Amino acid sequence: MNWVSDDSDGSSVDLSWLNDQDQHHDDDEPPLPLIRAPANQALQDETGASTSSLVPHFVDMGFSQELVAKAIKENGDGNSGSILELLLTYKMLEESPSGNEGNQENTLSDDNDWGDDELSDIDDFDDMDFELEMSGQASFSKKLRTLEEMGFSRDAASSAIERCGEDVPIFELADSIYAAQTAEKEGGVWDYDAFHSDQKKEGDKYDPFSHDNKRRRCDGASSSHHRSSIQMRERLKRAYRRPTTTSRRCGGDGDAVGELDNLNLPNPMVGFGLPTDSGRQLYRDIPMEAQGPPYFFYENVALTPKGVWPTISRFLYGILPEFVDSKYFAAACRKRGYIHNLPIANRFCLEPIPPKTILDAFPLARVYWPTWDTRTQFNCLQTCIGSAKLTERIREKLVASDYPPPPDVIRWVMYECKKWNLTWVGQNRVAPLEPDEVEFLLGFPRDHTRGVSRTERYKSLGNSFQVDTVAYQLSVLKDLYPNGIRVLSLFSGIGGAEVALHRLGIKMTAVLSVEISPINRTILRSWWEQTGQVGELEEVDDVQCVDDAVLERFIARHGGFDLVIGGSPCNNLAGSNRHHRDGLSGEHSSLFYHYFRILDVVKHLMARN
């Protein structure tokens, strides 16, 4: 087994195991040989208004007059093609990750009766209180904090607000700081009004997908081998203009789903069909530009704010999502959507087949299970657990009641048991699932996460793949790559994709793993070593640090990628995240756009080679 890092010092890592009762502190983490990632930074162009004979032409095409005026001011009115390209880019960046998504209901149709499963996508991962205020309505302190979060110094942010005024939108303040920095580097004198004049240079424009914005803070990142912003804008333009395709199934009941923008979640949520379904779908149409290899596989929660899945699908080549509930593969629900370009014929399940009910999975609980608890499966396994105080309240309430308890007591107890996935461990006694029980339900080997605190174990497991479900979809790769597969694993977590491939018997000859959590990286690296993997495991600590140079180095060593797999954070998408359910414009969930960016770079490099 060879494990390498993009660092050249080759320093080893001391893997120390902690007792489950011990708390884990970042200060205790051993130094990891990694590429360090930059802080998040975002800017956007804005110019003053202008008049032109082209304005009515573009307004008739559906663009706002203000947007058209800004584009014409940016480019002049001599090249309508350049203006159209810029309009499409502006419109996509402003509308695709819409901040209004968070105020909408999820995409379930009113006809679907999900009942108690509404609790199944609770995710209590800690969110940072970070929102980009683009409307100009934020207070001075909030705008100052936002600009600092974008990577600007406090002095530069404060000066920009004082210079431009508190009513100026965030992106215009960012423009002013960027312009000042550019002028300072060039030894010139900066003029805010001149910056927004017709004489603004092409080189001063900000490209939100350019690695230049982060490269200076990314150790080991090269300043060369990056595609120009024009090439990326062209790909963004194609993504925005991509038609919303229809499909025969999209993980539904076999009827045409209709337009992508009207996408509803199917019930039952069985994807293209279960292994035992003789009528399951075996073929589908994949757009030419999306066909593999390389293959890609993207996952996220199924129940999202309105418009999220259509946006994700539009960026991922118009492929419709396959919605699958893991309750058909295990004893716990997990509603997820998957967009991929894998074949769908000749799928097979992992063996041994895991139990599908609670009492089959944990037969010892049968002795204490009351007849009025009608659960047969757990809800979605979460990142946190019910408290000891709650379980004691349940015990006290049941002890004080006759048997069977009154209906109001049963309703309350059942609500808490379903919400927190409590199991019966004694007469009138419930308790949360243990970490090893959660590992079993998710398809991981026993003690996969052992060695870190219980809190971190639950957190890491709650954000992971359900291995049996994902393996069923990845199983088609076994015949395609009998000699091994090269994997780009984005948002790797604790290695759900790697465990699935290993359990399928697919040898991983090389893996580039991208994961920001040092605890998760330790878990994955330990599993890699303990299972005797013979391939190379390379690590990068953040998707924002994966640039063309990193990918080109891997391709030069290993010949390319066969699979790009991952699921970006669902923190701003999950149903329980009411305070920060901002859709794809949220701080964490907007990392999806880096999945698209990296996938697009991989396809470009592979096609070039």
Side-chain angles (χ1 to χ4, degrees):
M1 185 279 298
N2 296 318
W3 179 83
V4 301
S5 168
D6 278 344
D7 275 5
S8 59
D9 57 6
S11 58
S12 61
V13 178
D14 179 22
L15 183 64
S16 58
W17 298 100
L18 302 179
N19 184 280
D20 276 350
Q21 278 71 40
D22 293 340
Q23 291 298 317
H24 190 89
H25 300 281
D26 289 341
D27 293 341
D28 299 330
E29 279 294 312
L32 299 176
L34 303 168
I35 293 178
R36 290 295 172 189
N40 203 10
Q41 186 173 350
L43 301 172
Q44 187 169 347
D45 288 321
E46 172 74 354
T47 59
S50 176
T51 58
S52 170
S53 59
L54 290 175
V55 171
H57 172 70
F58 289 114
V59 169
D60 291 341
M61 295 173 64
F63 299 103
S64 68
Q65 185 170 346
E66 180 181 2
L67 201 65
V68 173
K70 180 172 66 173
I72 293 176
K73 188 71 173 178
E74 184 77 28
N75 287 275
D77 54 7
N79 190 331
S80 60
S82 298
I83 296 173
L84 176 59
E85 179 178 341
L86 188 57
L87 283 170
L88 289 168
T89 303
Y90 281 150
K91 191 174 180 66
M92 183 202 64
L93 291 173
E94 292 175 2
E95 294 182 357
S96 290
S98 175
N100 295 329
E101 290 170 349
N103 299 325
Q104 303 295 328
E105 295 300 321
N106 62 48
T107 56
L108 286 172
S109 66
D110 294 336
D111 296 333
N112 289 338
D113 182 13
W114 294 97
D116 295 323
D117 282 353
E118 291 175 357
L119 299 171
S120 66
D121 274 303
I122 294 177
D123 187 345
D124 291 318
F125 188 88
D126 294 333
D127 274 299
M128 295 176 62
D129 184 16
F130 178 79
E131 300 177 1
L132 291 177
E133 295 289 343
M134 304 301 285
S135 63
Q137 303 300 315
S139 64
F140 179 93
S141 61
K142 190 167 186 179
K143 286 191 173 183
L144 184 64
R145 179 174 176 234
T146 297
L147 289 168
E148 289 181 306
E149 292 285 351
M150 293 166 68
F152 299 115
S153 69
R154 175 175 286 268
D155 290 341
S158 178
S159 297
I161 296 174
E162 293 175 357
R163 179 170 60 245
C164 304
E166 293 187 26
D167 295 333
V168 174
I170 283 291
F171 57 77
E172 192 166 333
L173 292 170
D175 264 353
S176 70
I177 300 173
Y178 182 65
Q181 293 173 343
T182 301
E184 182 178 353
K185 290 178 182 178
E186 295 177 353
V189 178
W190 176 75
D191 186 324
Y192 178 75
D193 293 329
F195 177 71
H196 289 283
S197 70
D198 289 334
Q199 282 72 41
K200 181 181 176 184
K201 297 180 180 179
E202 179 72 18
D204 290 332
K205 292 194 296 183
Y206 175 80
D207 182 356
F209 286 87
S210 172
H211 300 283
D212 292 335
N213 309 308
K214 304 180 177 66
R215 187 187 305 130
R216 67 180 183 276
R217 299 182 61 184
C218 185
D219 296 342
S222 172
S223 61
S224 61
H225 305 296
H226 297 288
R227 286 175 299 166
S228 68
S229 62
I230 296 177
Q231 290 175 306
M232 179 54 79
R233 284 176 184 270
E234 182 64 26
R235 285 164 173 77
L236 295 177
K237 181 170 69 173
R238 290 204 306 271
Y240 182 78
R241 301 178 73 175
R242 186 172 290 122
T244 55
T245 59
T246 59
S247 176
R248 180 180 158 263
R249 191 152 174 175
C250 188
D253 56 6
D255 297 327
V257 175
E259 289 298 322
L260 179 62
D261 290 331
N262 296 321
L263 184 64
N264 290 321
L265 297 184
N267 188 7
M269 199 176 290
V270 296
F272 293 115
L274 300 175
T276 56
D277 182 5
S278 59
R280 63 184 181 275
Q281 186 175 341
L282 300 178
Y283 302 98
R284 60 174 176 158
D285 292 329
I286 298 291
M288 182 66 68
E289 63 177 332
Q291 293 180 9
Y295 293 101
F296 68 88
F297 186 90
Y298 175 81
E299 179 261 9
N300 216 314
V301 294
L303 290 91
T304 64
K306 185 178 180 181
V308 168
W309 274 110
T311 299
I312 293 174
S313 179
R314 184 174 288 110
F315 272 81
L316 297 181
Y317 312 101
I319 298 176
L320 291 173
E322 177 182 11
F323 293 110
V324 182
D325 191 337
S326 292
K327 70 179 183 180
Y328 299 106
F329 295 85
C333 301
R334 205 173 191 81
K335 299 180 177 69
R336 294 293 184 264
Y338 306 90
I339 293 182
H340 58 85
N341 62 345
L342 295 168
I344 59 176
N346 301 318
R347 289 172 163 181
F348 61 89
C349 291
L350 284 176
E351 293 184 351
I353 302 296
K356 304 294 196 305
T357 67
I358 295 174
L359 295 181
D360 286 338
F362 308 113
L364 295 180
R366 192 184 304 272
V367 178
Y368 307 109
W369 205 273
T371 57
W372 45 266
D373 187 341
T374 58
R375 289 178 296 161
T376 60
Q377 292 185 311
F378 291 113
N379 279 323
C380 185
L381 301 170
Q382 307 166 28
T383 57
C384 58
I385 60 173
S387 65
K389 183 178 180 180
L390 171 63
T391 58
E392 179 60 20
R393 286 177 57 201
I394 292 174
R395 189 194 68 81
E396 292 174 351
K397 183 71 71 174
L398 292 175
V399 168
S401 302
D402 296 330
Y403 190 89
D408 60 326
V409 174
I410 291 178
R411 282 194 298 269
W412 175 71
V413 172
M414 289 301 299
Y415 171 81
E416 297 296 345
C417 286
K418 291 177 180 180
K419 179 178 180 180
W420 298 107
N421 285 321
L422 303 177
T423 186
W424 296 93
V425 296
Q427 186 174 359
N428 298 324
R429 289 181 57 220
V430 293
L433 292 166
E434 291 296 317
D436 61 303
E437 294 173 325
V438 178
E439 289 171 343
F440 175 72
L441 291 169
L442 290 174
F444 288 94
R446 184 180 178 87
D447 294 332
H448 182 74
T449 57
R450 188 174 181 180
V452 299
S453 71
R454 288 170 60 86
T455 299
E456 293 295 345
R457 293 181 74 182
Y458 286 120
K459 187 174 181 178
S460 297
L461 288 164
N463 287 317
S464 69
F465 285 161
Q466 205 291 323
V467 172
D468 299 275
T469 307
V470 172
Y472 176 66
Q473 298 171 86
L474 298 179
S475 61
V476 297
L477 295 171
K478 186 168 186 178
D479 290 337
L480 294 175
Y481 296 99
N483 298 321
I485 192 170
R486 301 159 299 182
V487 182
L488 173 55
S489 178
L490 301 175
F491 313 100
S492 298
I494 57 175
E498 289 81 354
V499 171
L501 292 169
H502 175 68
R503 291 190 59 194
L504 286 167
I506 302 174
K507 182 174 69 174
M508 290 166 281
T509 58
V511 174
L512 177 58
S513 172
V514 185
E515 170 56 38
I516 197 169
S517 166
I519 293 174
N520 289 345
R521 292 196 300 269
T522 298
I523 292 171
L524 173 57
R525 187 171 61 257
S526 174
W527 171 85
W528 188 270
E529 295 169 348
Q530 292 176 10
T531 53
Q533 301 296 321
V534 296
E536 292 188 359
L537 175 63
E538 305 179 23
E539 290 187 317
V540 180
D541 75 339
D542 197 330
V543 293
Q544 296 175 94
C545 206
V546 179
D547 58 11
D548 296 37
V550 171
L551 298 171
E552 286 178 333
R553 284 198 298 269
F554 185 96
I555 292 174
R557 285 196 297 266
H558 304 291
F561 293 99
D562 303 307
L563 174 67
V564 179
I565 187 169
S568 55
C570 65
N571 305 37
N572 309 112
L573 305 178
S576 66
N577 202 343
R578 302 301 180 189
H579 297 293
H580 301 282
R581 200 167 181 230
D582 301 325
L584 291 175
S585 63
E587 178 192 1
H588 301 285
S589 296
S590 62
L591 292 173
F592 157 74
Y593 295 104
H594 284 283
Y595 179 96
F596 161 74
R597 173 184 64 80
I598 295 168
L599 174 62
D600 190 69
V601 172
V602 168
K603 290 176 68 68
H604 172 79
L605 294 176
M606 295 285 288
R608 187 182 68 184
N609 292 339

